[in-house]
Amino acid sequence: MDNIPLPSTVKKGEASNSSRLLILQALVPIATHLVSSQLEAFSARLTDALFKLSDQTIRPEEASASFQAFQLLKRNNTAFYRLVVGQINAALTKEVSTINAKKKPVKKDAEDFSLVSFDEMESKLLIRNLSQSLEVNNADILVALNIRIGNVLRRTPINISQNPFRPDVFVHAVYQAWKEFDATPESHHLVLRLLQPNIFLQLKPILNEINEGLIARGIMPDISDVYRSKGKNSDANNQDEIDDRDPYLHNKLRSIFSGQPISGSGKRTAGS
């Protein structure tokens, strides 16, 4: 990763809201840079998925829409890169700038779909499903990042929904970029359905580098003690919110906090 400077660590008791915010703002170009480095591979995966769908679907309208989207992306991938980077940079910047608003998280099952169209409802569900899958796949890193960001804000821990670098932000930004890239409504839901975790941007290296950026500034280099001593009690609200959305993610995070090994995860991350 390129050396992107972060603000100097502020002594305890001297940090103002603005100085703490600067620490988080400095993480945005790190994330944006790492997204940029993945765009060629991401575009290739999406292009391949669009072509396969056009070739394999038995629905003529879907075959036509996916093939047109395939051709558009193959011929204009540079324009798509610019839109993705721009949307992600804008989304992360906005999230960081409003992080001190302390808005109460809205539970996902409380969403009211009665006033939206079927297409809007489908989009919301597809975005939510992808975001939750990415949260599960990156649960250990996200917990570490939640704790470190909470430490910067002096209100450890924060909820996943309050993390400005949560998967949901990346998913919404990429989807918005695609809608700008291809104005054809038929391609919008089609692309959302194709954006599975194996095709989407790989968030693990991005979240790892954000964690490392905080560690480099002395923000909780070792949080193993936090997992053991605070995880069970101080993160109870966060666990309740996660359990409501995805029991598997709840169990995975509970394994992290209890210090027990997580099946299928043998690697250490920036959170360990």
Side-chain angles (χ1 to χ4, degrees):
M1 183 191 75
D2 291 351
N3 293 323
I4 301 176
L6 287 173
S8 300
T9 305
V10 182
K11 292 182 179 180
K12 191 173 182 179
E14 296 179 0
S16 64
N17 285 336
S18 59
S19 63
R20 291 196 293 269
L21 194 61
L22 284 174
I23 294 175
L24 299 181
Q25 287 174 338
L27 299 173
V28 173
I30 294 177
T32 303
H33 170 75
L34 291 169
V35 167
S36 298
S37 70
Q38 290 192 29
L39 285 177
E40 185 175 354
F42 169 48
S43 178
R45 292 193 297 271
L46 182 55
T47 301
D48 184 57
L50 286 166
F51 179 76
K52 286 181 178 179
L53 179 62
S54 70
D55 186 53
Q56 297 172 2
T57 183
I58 60 174
R59 299 172 55 192
E61 65 278 7
E62 187 173 66
S64 175
S66 56
F67 187 72
Q68 290 177 18
F70 155 74
Q71 288 185 312
L72 180 66
L73 182 56
K74 185 176 181 180
R75 294 171 181 173
N76 302 279
N77 51 20
T78 302
F80 182 58
Y81 299 167
R82 288 197 298 268
L83 288 169
V84 171
V85 170
Q87 285 292 335
I88 286 179
N89 184 71
L92 294 178
T93 299
K94 179 180 178 180
E95 287 290 328
V96 168
S97 69
T98 59
I99 195 170
N100 279 321
K102 297 184 179 180
K103 295 180 180 179
K104 185 177 180 180
V106 177
K107 289 189 176 183
K108 299 297 182 179
D109 57 5
E111 289 182 287
D112 183 6
F113 292 116
S114 62
L115 301 179
V116 300
S117 67
F118 177 80
D119 285 346
E120 289 176 305
M121 180 175 67
E122 183 183 15
S123 295
K124 287 178 179 289
L125 290 173
L126 289 169
I127 289 173
R128 184 174 69 182
N129 290 342
L130 175 58
S131 299
Q132 289 182 353
S133 294
L134 293 169
E135 286 179 9
V136 170
N137 292 348
N138 299 282
D140 48 350
I141 309 174
L142 284 167
V143 170
L145 191 54
N146 286 351
I147 293 173
R148 289 196 173 96
I149 292 176
N151 182 265
V152 172
L153 299 173
R154 302 293 170 83
R155 49 187 169 96
T156 300
I158 62 170
N159 294 295
I160 287 179
S161 61
Q162 297 169 314
N163 187 330
F165 303 97
R166 64 191 181 276
D168 174 77
V169 176
F170 290 88
V171 174
H172 273 95
V174 169
Y175 181 50
Q176 185 59 42
W178 180 265
K179 289 197 295 183
E180 290 188 28
F181 177 68
D182 186 358
T184 308
E186 291 77 14
S187 79
H188 298 169
H189 294 145
L190 185 151
V191 165
L192 265 184
R193 290 195 297 270
L194 290 176
L195 286 180
Q196 298 301 310
N198 62 316
I199 292 177
F200 195 71
L201 294 167
Q202 303 305 293
L203 297 186
K204 188 178 291 290
I206 298 172
L207 297 173
N208 263 330
E209 287 295 345
I210 294 172
N211 262 307
E212 292 293 346
L214 290 171
I215 291 172
R217 306 322 307 164
I219 308 298
M220 306 181 73
D222 185 359
I223 58 175
S224 57
D225 289 338
V226 178
Y227 284 149
R228 289 190 289 268
S229 64
K230 293 186 179 181
K232 186 174 181 180
N233 297 318
S234 65
D235 203 47
N237 292 335
N238 189 26
Q239 294 289 340
D240 290 342
E241 179 198 357
I242 293 167
D243 194 26
D244 287 338
R245 290 185 299 169
D246 195 317
Y248 174 70
L249 180 57
H250 169 72
N251 291 334
K252 188 169 185 179
L253 298 188
R254 182 159 51 188
S255 297
I256 295 170
F257 285 126
S258 66
Q260 298 299 316
I262 302 168
S263 59
S265 178
K267 295 182 179 179
R268 291 176 64 85
T269 70
S272 54

